[in-house]
mmCIF file of all heavy atoms in Angstrom:
data_model
loop_
_atom_site.group_PDB
_atom_site.id
_atom_site.type_symbol
_atom_site.label_atom_id
_atom_site.label_comp_id
_atom_site.label_asym_id
_atom_site.label_seq_id
_atom_site.Cartn_x
_atom_site.Cartn_y
_atom_site.Cartn_z
ATOM 1 N N MET A 2 5.135 -58.968 3.040
ATOM 2 C CA MET A 2 5.656 -59.521 1.870
ATOM 3 C C MET A 2 4.741 -60.725 1.532
ATOM 4 O O MET A 2 4.242 -61.564 2.339
ATOM 5 C CB MET A 2 7.065 -60.042 2.104
ATOM 6 C CG MET A 2 7.738 -60.487 0.886
ATOM 7 S SD MET A 2 9.472 -60.941 1.272
ATOM 8 C CE MET A 2 10.039 -59.426 2.006
ATOM 9 N N TRP A 55 3.999 -43.685 -5.385
ATOM 10 C CA TRP A 55 3.774 -45.086 -4.776
ATOM 11 C C TRP A 55 2.390 -45.543 -5.085
ATOM 12 O O TRP A 55 2.223 -46.674 -5.674
ATOM 13 C CB TRP A 55 4.046 -44.920 -3.307
ATOM 14 C CG TRP A 55 4.114 -46.374 -2.694
ATOM 15 C CD1 TRP A 55 3.287 -47.451 -2.791
ATOM 16 C CD2 TRP A 55 5.241 -46.846 -1.690
ATOM 17 N NE1 TRP A 55 3.774 -48.469 -2.116
ATOM 18 C CE2 TRP A 55 4.924 -48.002 -1.419
ATOM 19 C CE3 TRP A 55 6.304 -46.048 -1.224
ATOM 20 C CZ2 TRP A 55 5.688 -48.754 -0.478
ATOM 21 C CZ3 TRP A 55 7.061 -46.803 -0.269
ATOM 22 C CH2 TRP A 55 6.774 -48.071 0.103
ATOM 23 N N LYS A 68 -1.995 -55.280 -5.415
ATOM 24 C CA LYS A 68 -0.710 -54.866 -5.337
ATOM 25 C C LYS A 68 0.240 -55.956 -6.214
ATOM 26 O O LYS A 68 1.303 -55.620 -6.678
ATOM 27 C CB LYS A 68 -0.160 -54.776 -3.908
ATOM 28 C CG LYS A 68 1.270 -54.407 -3.773
ATOM 29 C CD LYS A 68 1.680 -54.185 -2.365
ATOM 30 C CE LYS A 68 3.149 -53.930 -2.147
ATOM 31 N NZ LYS A 68 3.473 -53.693 -0.593
ATOM 32 N N TYR A 69 -0.179 -57.149 -6.134
ATOM 33 C CA TYR A 69 0.680 -58.261 -6.793
ATOM 34 C C TYR A 69 0.008 -58.734 -8.036
ATOM 35 O O TYR A 69 0.540 -59.709 -8.570
ATOM 36 C CB TYR A 69 0.847 -59.382 -5.781
ATOM 37 C CG TYR A 69 1.469 -58.894 -4.559
ATOM 38 C CD1 TYR A 69 0.814 -58.710 -3.271
ATOM 39 C CD2 TYR A 69 2.879 -58.738 -4.510
ATOM 40 C CE1 TYR A 69 1.478 -58.274 -2.131
ATOM 41 C CE2 TYR A 69 3.608 -58.405 -3.364
ATOM 42 C CZ TYR A 69 2.952 -57.968 -2.261
ATOM 43 O OH TYR A 69 3.475 -57.631 -1.100
ATOM 44 N N LYS A 86 8.675 -66.110 -1.955
ATOM 45 C CA LYS A 86 8.249 -64.699 -1.679
ATOM 46 C C LYS A 86 8.449 -63.797 -2.789
ATOM 47 O O LYS A 86 9.444 -64.040 -3.578
ATOM 48 C CB LYS A 86 9.170 -64.261 -0.465
ATOM 49 C CG LYS A 86 8.663 -65.011 0.917
ATOM 50 C CD LYS A 86 9.608 -64.458 2.028
ATOM 51 C CE LYS A 86 9.151 -65.267 3.361
ATOM 52 N NZ LYS A 86 9.963 -64.736 4.498
ATOM 53 N N VAL A 87 7.690 -62.833 -3.035
ATOM 54 C CA VAL A 87 7.769 -61.891 -4.095
ATOM 55 C C VAL A 87 7.777 -60.408 -3.546
ATOM 56 O O VAL A 87 7.514 -60.231 -2.397
ATOM 57 C CB VAL A 87 6.605 -62.062 -5.062
ATOM 58 C CG1 VAL A 87 6.637 -63.446 -5.694
ATOM 59 C CG2 VAL A 87 5.316 -61.895 -4.343
ATOM 60 N N ASN A 88 8.161 -59.439 -4.400
ATOM 61 C CA ASN A 88 8.254 -58.191 -4.102
ATOM 62 C C ASN A 88 7.660 -57.312 -5.294
ATOM 63 O O ASN A 88 7.879 -57.553 -6.490
ATOM 64 C CB ASN A 88 9.773 -57.783 -3.877
ATOM 65 C CG ASN A 88 9.809 -56.301 -3.408
ATOM 66 O OD1 ASN A 88 9.706 -55.414 -4.067
ATOM 67 N ND2 ASN A 88 10.173 -56.251 -2.054
ATOM 68 N N HIS A 89 6.938 -56.262 -4.888
ATOM 69 C CA HIS A 89 6.372 -55.354 -5.816
ATOM 70 C C HIS A 89 7.413 -54.293 -6.034
ATOM 71 O O HIS A 89 7.719 -53.521 -5.149
ATOM 72 C CB HIS A 89 5.011 -54.712 -5.250
ATOM 73 C CG HIS A 89 4.353 -53.576 -6.020
ATOM 74 N ND1 HIS A 89 3.323 -53.662 -6.754
ATOM 75 C CD2 HIS A 89 4.866 -52.358 -6.102
ATOM 76 C CE1 HIS A 89 3.041 -52.499 -7.268
ATOM 77 N NE2 HIS A 89 3.939 -51.683 -6.804
ATOM 78 N N VAL A 127 12.068 -62.355 -4.405
ATOM 79 C CA VAL A 127 12.946 -61.570 -3.450
ATOM 80 C C VAL A 127 14.401 -61.768 -3.894
ATOM 81 O O VAL A 127 15.173 -60.828 -3.837
ATOM 82 C CB VAL A 127 12.811 -61.940 -2.053
ATOM 83 C CG1 VAL A 127 11.463 -61.563 -1.406
ATOM 84 C CG2 VAL A 127 13.004 -63.503 -1.818
ATOM 85 N N HIS A 130 14.863 -59.419 -6.672
ATOM 86 C CA HIS A 130 14.831 -58.043 -6.203
ATOM 87 C C HIS A 130 16.289 -57.647 -5.679
ATOM 88 O O HIS A 130 16.799 -56.567 -5.818
ATOM 89 C CB HIS A 130 13.871 -57.875 -5.050
ATOM 90 C CG HIS A 130 13.623 -56.540 -4.571
ATOM 91 N ND1 HIS A 130 13.278 -55.380 -5.311
ATOM 92 C CD2 HIS A 130 13.727 -55.947 -3.316
ATOM 93 C CE1 HIS A 130 13.227 -54.352 -4.690
ATOM 94 N NE2 HIS A 130 13.456 -54.665 -3.335
ATOM 95 N N GLY A 131 16.926 -58.607 -5.005
ATOM 96 C CA GLY A 131 18.240 -58.321 -4.566
ATOM 97 C C GLY A 131 19.196 -58.155 -5.627
ATOM 98 O O GLY A 131 20.099 -57.355 -5.714
ATOM 99 N N MET A 194 19.670 -63.014 8.741
ATOM 100 C CA MET A 194 19.460 -61.864 7.847
ATOM 101 C C MET A 194 18.321 -61.941 6.867
ATOM 102 O O MET A 194 17.648 -61.010 6.776
ATOM 103 C CB MET A 194 20.634 -61.511 7.140
ATOM 104 C CG MET A 194 21.893 -61.212 7.920
ATOM 105 S SD MET A 194 21.585 -60.057 9.335
ATOM 106 C CE MET A 194 21.030 -58.636 8.525
ATOM 107 N N ARG A 195 17.960 -63.254 6.648
ATOM 108 C CA ARG A 195 16.713 -63.460 5.805
ATOM 109 C C ARG A 195 15.404 -63.132 6.730
ATOM 110 O O ARG A 195 14.507 -62.554 6.226
ATOM 111 C CB ARG A 195 16.580 -64.789 5.244
ATOM 112 C CG ARG A 195 17.514 -65.114 3.955
ATOM 113 C CD ARG A 195 17.596 -66.465 3.587
ATOM 114 N NE ARG A 195 18.135 -66.634 2.259
ATOM 115 C CZ ARG A 195 18.765 -67.763 1.835
ATOM 116 N NH1 ARG A 195 18.763 -68.850 2.603
ATOM 117 N NH2 ARG A 195 19.220 -67.808 0.624
ATOM 118 N N ALA A 196 15.602 -63.521 7.909
ATOM 119 C CA ALA A 196 14.395 -63.329 8.861
ATOM 120 C C ALA A 196 14.227 -61.826 9.043
ATOM 121 O O ALA A 196 13.160 -61.393 9.404
ATOM 122 C CB ALA A 196 14.652 -64.022 10.181
ATOM 123 N N ALA A 197 15.261 -60.959 8.916
ATOM 124 C CA ALA A 197 15.217 -59.608 9.143
ATOM 125 C C ALA A 197 14.781 -58.816 7.847
ATOM 126 O O ALA A 197 14.584 -57.598 7.901
ATOM 127 C CB ALA A 197 16.637 -59.076 9.572
ATOM 128 N N GLY A 198 14.456 -59.635 6.793
ATOM 129 C CA GLY A 198 13.920 -59.026 5.484
ATOM 130 C C GLY A 198 14.957 -58.692 4.553
ATOM 131 O O GLY A 198 14.927 -57.732 3.728
ATOM 132 N N SER A 199 15.987 -59.483 4.381
ATOM 133 C CA SER A 199 17.002 -59.271 3.336
ATOM 134 C C SER A 199 17.241 -60.653 2.672
ATOM 135 O O SER A 199 16.762 -61.733 3.049
ATOM 136 C CB SER A 199 18.326 -58.832 4.008
ATOM 137 O OG SER A 199 18.873 -59.804 4.802
ATOM 138 N N GLU A 200 17.939 -60.439 1.540
ATOM 139 C CA GLU A 200 18.202 -61.717 0.690
ATOM 140 C C GLU A 200 19.699 -61.644 0.310
ATOM 141 O O GLU A 200 20.300 -60.509 0.056
ATOM 142 C CB GLU A 200 17.271 -61.807 -0.381
ATOM 143 C CG GLU A 200 17.369 -63.165 -1.234
ATOM 144 C CD GLU A 200 17.352 -64.384 -0.457
ATOM 145 O OE1 GLU A 200 16.215 -64.793 -0.093
ATOM 146 O OE2 GLU A 200 18.474 -64.922 -0.146
ATOM 147 N N HIS A 219 20.962 -57.762 0.367
ATOM 148 C CA HIS A 219 20.128 -56.639 -0.005
ATOM 149 C C HIS A 219 18.828 -56.695 0.742
ATOM 150 O O HIS A 219 18.282 -57.818 1.089
ATOM 151 C CB HIS A 219 19.808 -56.648 -1.504
ATOM 152 C CG HIS A 219 20.948 -56.411 -2.475
ATOM 153 N ND1 HIS A 219 21.202 -55.131 -2.972
ATOM 154 C CD2 HIS A 219 21.902 -57.142 -2.915
ATOM 155 C CE1 HIS A 219 22.265 -55.204 -3.707
ATOM 156 N NE2 HIS A 219 22.713 -56.332 -3.664
ATOM 157 N N ASP A 220 18.254 -55.530 1.054
ATOM 158 C CA ASP A 220 16.851 -55.480 1.587
ATOM 159 C C ASP A 220 15.860 -55.910 0.541
ATOM 160 O O ASP A 220 16.017 -55.661 -0.609
ATOM 161 C CB ASP A 220 16.390 -54.034 1.980
ATOM 162 C CG ASP A 220 15.058 -53.881 2.437
ATOM 163 O OD1 ASP A 220 14.786 -54.143 3.557
ATOM 164 O OD2 ASP A 220 14.202 -53.644 1.616
ATOM 165 N N VAL A 221 14.888 -56.752 1.044
ATOM 166 C CA VAL A 221 13.724 -57.177 0.039
ATOM 167 C C VAL A 221 12.379 -56.790 0.541
ATOM 168 O O VAL A 221 11.326 -57.160 0.003
ATOM 169 C CB VAL A 221 13.802 -58.690 -0.029
ATOM 170 C CG1 VAL A 221 15.020 -59.078 -0.703
ATOM 171 C CG2 VAL A 221 13.589 -59.424 1.277
ATOM 172 N N THR A 222 12.312 -55.758 1.516
ATOM 173 C CA THR A 222 11.076 -55.305 2.015
ATOM 174 C C THR A 222 10.639 -54.058 1.293
ATOM 175 O O THR A 222 9.422 -53.618 1.266
ATOM 176 C CB THR A 222 11.002 -54.979 3.522
ATOM 177 O OG1 THR A 222 11.929 -53.968 3.836
ATOM 178 C CG2 THR A 222 11.383 -56.342 4.223
ATOM 179 N N LEU A 223 11.516 -53.281 0.659
ATOM 180 C CA LEU A 223 11.293 -52.099 0.018
ATOM 181 C C LEU A 223 11.041 -52.227 -1.530
ATOM 182 O O LEU A 223 11.639 -53.173 -2.164
ATOM 183 C CB LEU A 223 12.463 -51.125 0.214
ATOM 184 C CG LEU A 223 12.875 -50.811 1.649
ATOM 185 C CD1 LEU A 223 14.127 -50.007 1.657
ATOM 186 C CD2 LEU A 223 11.686 -50.049 2.356
ATOM 187 N N PRO A 224 10.093 -51.449 -2.071
ATOM 188 C CA PRO A 224 9.783 -51.509 -3.516
ATOM 189 C C PRO A 224 10.886 -50.967 -4.390
ATOM 190 O O PRO A 224 10.883 -51.276 -5.661
ATOM 191 C CB PRO A 224 8.566 -50.841 -3.657
ATOM 192 C CG PRO A 224 8.506 -49.895 -2.554
ATOM 193 C CD PRO A 224 9.262 -50.474 -1.456
ATOM 194 N N GLU A 225 11.821 -50.173 -3.830
ATOM 195 C CA GLU A 225 12.733 -49.546 -4.571
ATOM 196 C C GLU A 225 13.996 -50.407 -4.722
ATOM 197 O O GLU A 225 14.300 -51.206 -3.809
ATOM 198 C CB GLU A 225 13.161 -48.224 -4.026
ATOM 199 C CG GLU A 225 11.993 -47.295 -3.783
ATOM 200 C CD GLU A 225 11.476 -46.706 -5.094
ATOM 201 O OE1 GLU A 225 12.266 -46.330 -5.938
ATOM 202 O OE2 GLU A 225 10.215 -46.702 -5.196
ATOM 203 N N THR A 227 17.709 -51.178 -3.907
ATOM 204 C CA THR A 227 18.504 -50.715 -2.801
ATOM 205 C C THR A 227 19.972 -51.307 -3.034
ATOM 206 O O THR A 227 20.169 -52.315 -3.550
ATOM 207 C CB THR A 227 17.957 -51.144 -1.476
ATOM 208 O OG1 THR A 227 17.909 -52.545 -1.483
ATOM 209 C CG2 THR A 227 16.557 -50.452 -1.258
ATOM 210 N N LEU A 290 21.356 -52.383 7.900
ATOM 211 C CA LEU A 290 20.145 -52.423 7.204
ATOM 212 C C LEU A 290 19.109 -51.455 7.745
ATOM 213 O O LEU A 290 18.431 -50.849 6.854
ATOM 214 C CB LEU A 290 19.599 -53.868 7.424
ATOM 215 C CG LEU A 290 18.241 -54.228 6.932
ATOM 216 C CD1 LEU A 290 18.128 -54.035 5.349
ATOM 217 C CD2 LEU A 290 17.805 -55.649 7.247
ATOM 218 N N LEU A 293 19.864 -48.213 6.127
ATOM 219 C CA LEU A 293 19.463 -48.226 4.720
ATOM 220 C C LEU A 293 18.110 -47.873 4.491
ATOM 221 O O LEU A 293 17.550 -47.039 3.771
ATOM 222 C CB LEU A 293 19.835 -49.572 4.036
ATOM 223 C CG LEU A 293 19.258 -49.866 2.637
ATOM 224 C CD1 LEU A 293 19.927 -48.998 1.601
ATOM 225 C CD2 LEU A 293 19.396 -51.339 2.283
ATOM 226 N N ARG A 294 17.273 -48.516 5.476
ATOM 227 C CA ARG A 294 15.716 -48.336 5.362
ATOM 228 C C ARG A 294 15.369 -46.823 5.843
ATOM 229 O O ARG A 294 14.440 -46.231 5.267
ATOM 230 C CB ARG A 294 15.062 -49.340 6.322
ATOM 231 C CG ARG A 294 15.122 -50.720 5.613
ATOM 232 C CD ARG A 294 14.629 -51.758 6.630
ATOM 233 N NE ARG A 294 14.606 -53.095 5.995
ATOM 234 C CZ ARG A 294 14.560 -54.316 6.643
ATOM 235 N NH1 ARG A 294 14.345 -54.266 8.005
ATOM 236 N NH2 ARG A 294 14.385 -55.395 6.013
ATOM 237 N N HIS A 297 15.915 -44.706 2.878
ATOM 238 C CA HIS A 297 14.822 -44.868 1.890
ATOM 239 C C HIS A 297 13.572 -44.032 2.341
ATOM 240 O O HIS A 297 12.900 -43.429 1.527
ATOM 241 C CB HIS A 297 14.532 -46.289 1.827
ATOM 242 C CG HIS A 297 13.291 -46.632 0.872
ATOM 243 N ND1 HIS A 297 13.567 -46.747 -0.430
ATOM 244 C CD2 HIS A 297 12.081 -46.680 1.109
ATOM 245 C CE1 HIS A 297 12.415 -46.906 -1.033
ATOM 246 N NE2 HIS A 297 11.454 -46.956 -0.055
ATOM 247 N N ARG A 298 13.372 -44.130 3.756
ATOM 248 C CA ARG A 298 12.149 -43.317 4.126
ATOM 249 C C ARG A 298 12.226 -41.900 3.859
ATOM 250 O O ARG A 298 11.196 -41.205 3.969
ATOM 251 C CB ARG A 298 11.926 -43.599 5.621
ATOM 252 C CG ARG A 298 11.163 -44.922 5.942
ATOM 253 C CD ARG A 298 10.738 -44.956 7.297
ATOM 254 N NE ARG A 298 11.923 -45.265 8.312
ATOM 255 C CZ ARG A 298 12.327 -46.462 8.551
ATOM 256 N NH1 ARG A 298 11.678 -47.589 8.044
ATOM 257 N NH2 ARG A 298 13.342 -46.661 9.439
#
Side-chain angles (χ1 to χ4, degrees):
M2 191 177 301
W55 194 312
K68 180 178 179 179
Y69 298 101
K86 292 180 180 179
V87 296
N88 190 286
H89 171 108
V127 293
H130 186 56
M194 298 316 300
R195 280 172 170 161
S199 66
E200 187 52 84
H219 290 266
D220 174 88
V221 294
T222 66
L223 301 171
E225 305 288 318
T227 58
L290 177 58
L293 172 68
R294 289 171 175 166
H297 177 83
R298 280 191 283 270

